[in-house]
Amino acid sequence: METIAFSGPFTLDRSRQAAVQVYEYLREEIVNLTLKPGTLLSRNELSAHFELSVTPIRDALMRLEEEGLVDIYPQHATRVRGISIASARQAHFLRLSIELEVVRTLARKNDAALGQSLQSLVLQQRAALKARDLESFYRVDHAFHKQLYVAAEVEELWRLMRHRSGNMDRLRRLHLPLNGKADQILKDHAAIADAIGQGDAAAAEAALRRHLSGTLSELDALREQYPTYWMPGAD
């Protein structure tokens, strides 16, 4: 079997459960498409790579299976699952429902300081894009949305949404380099931050709805460019 290639090193934190850390690492490698759909994951090879017993590897893979990111074939192999469009659509519906209420709530607080804090993240994203550092751009994108949840005091919903969003995140990774998507994200984030800072709930909702609508509208183009990345029968 071909050796699995990872994007970066793994350092075990002895104060945390090993299985959780392996799960987090593998999930990020799947979401950022380092581990592409169809990639075979050998438990023994993963055990050697992480310098851990097979038990935490197995537990991590089971969590990934629960999220719909891998398929486990007992006594055979584990394979990175193709992108499920149905799962991505449900994740989008969940995220849109939650974040519309979040930005509405925050705008009604008319918190200029929060608007400025969000704009500072937009500046960080702009710098990352100028440097063509899409990984940093993506990390700051997460930080922007997480700050919305934290400010609205619903951080647990952020964790719920992230748990459900693996397939949608893979779609967004595919979409990000295409058709000026990154520039549009910057414009949308700036508009959301501005509306929240000015206490304009209607503008915040409109900017968020526009922001979250783009990727699913590009499915045909993404499927044409990446024909092997999808679950069979995806529509």
Side-chain angles (χ1 to χ4, degrees):
M1 181 181 296
E2 183 179 350
T3 301
I4 303 169
F6 295 102
S7 64
F10 172 82
T11 302
L12 183 67
D13 180 351
R14 297 290 178 182
S15 69
R16 301 176 62 218
Q17 289 186 359
V20 172
Q21 295 177 71
V22 172
Y23 154 77
E24 292 171 346
Y25 182 91
L26 289 177
R27 187 185 191 280
E28 179 58 26
E29 294 292 272
I30 292 170
V31 167
N32 69 23
L33 297 168
T34 296
L35 297 178
K36 296 177 173 56
T39 301
L40 288 173
L41 303 176
S42 161
R43 291 188 186 182
N44 290 334
E45 188 176 349
L46 292 173
S47 178
H49 175 79
F50 293 112
E51 299 182 346
L52 294 168
S53 71
V54 173
T55 300
I57 304 301
R58 179 201 63 204
D59 293 346
L61 292 175
M62 289 176 65
R63 289 190 62 175
L64 292 168
E65 185 181 42
E66 290 174 1
E67 290 193 31
L69 296 176
V70 303
D71 289 310
I72 298 176
Y73 304 97
Q75 310 303 320
H76 179 57
T78 297
R79 187 186 299 271
V80 177
R81 187 179 293 180
I83 298 171
S84 167
I85 294 175
S87 174
R89 284 177 171 151
Q90 290 186 56
H92 173 264
F93 188 93
L94 175 66
R95 182 174 183 177
L96 182 62
S97 300
I98 294 172
E99 293 192 14
L100 282 172
E101 185 61 31
V102 165
V103 298
R104 182 186 305 119
T105 298
L106 295 177
R108 287 173 176 170
K109 292 182 178 180
N110 198 15
D111 186 344
L114 175 59
Q116 292 173 359
S117 179
L118 293 169
Q119 291 288 9
S120 72
L121 290 172
V122 176
L123 291 176
Q124 291 179 41
Q125 275 196 291
R126 184 169 288 113
L129 182 59
K130 185 176 181 179
R132 299 185 179 181
D133 184 353
L134 291 184
E135 287 305 310
S136 293
F137 183 95
Y138 200 77
R139 285 195 295 273
V140 182
D141 183 271
H142 275 218
F144 181 94
H145 286 273
K146 183 177 181 179
Q147 186 162 342
L148 297 176
Y149 287 72
V150 172
E153 300 180 351
V154 290
E155 191 172 355
E156 184 61 32
L157 293 180
W158 167 259
R159 287 186 281 271
L160 170 67
M161 189 274 296
R162 297 300 313 135
H163 177 73
R164 303 283 185 175
S165 66
N167 283 289
M168 189 67 209
D169 284 346
R170 289 195 286 176
L171 277 180
R172 295 180 72 239
R173 288 280 184 152
L174 293 176
H175 189 197
L176 186 59
L178 305 179
N179 304 327
K181 174 63 175 175
D183 287 317
Q184 187 59 52
I185 288 173
L186 288 174
K187 293 176 183 177
D188 292 342
H189 279 185
I192 292 167
D194 186 57
I196 288 173
Q198 294 186 20
D200 189 338
E205 291 178 50
L208 180 77
R209 193 178 293 277
R210 180 176 62 249
H211 175 50
L212 295 184
S213 67
T215 296
L216 288 177
S217 68
E218 295 292 333
L219 276 177
D220 288 344
L222 293 173
R223 292 162 91 178
E224 181 177 353
Q225 185 160 352
Y226 303 97
T228 65
Y229 278 23
W230 314 96
M231 286 279 290
D235 56 15

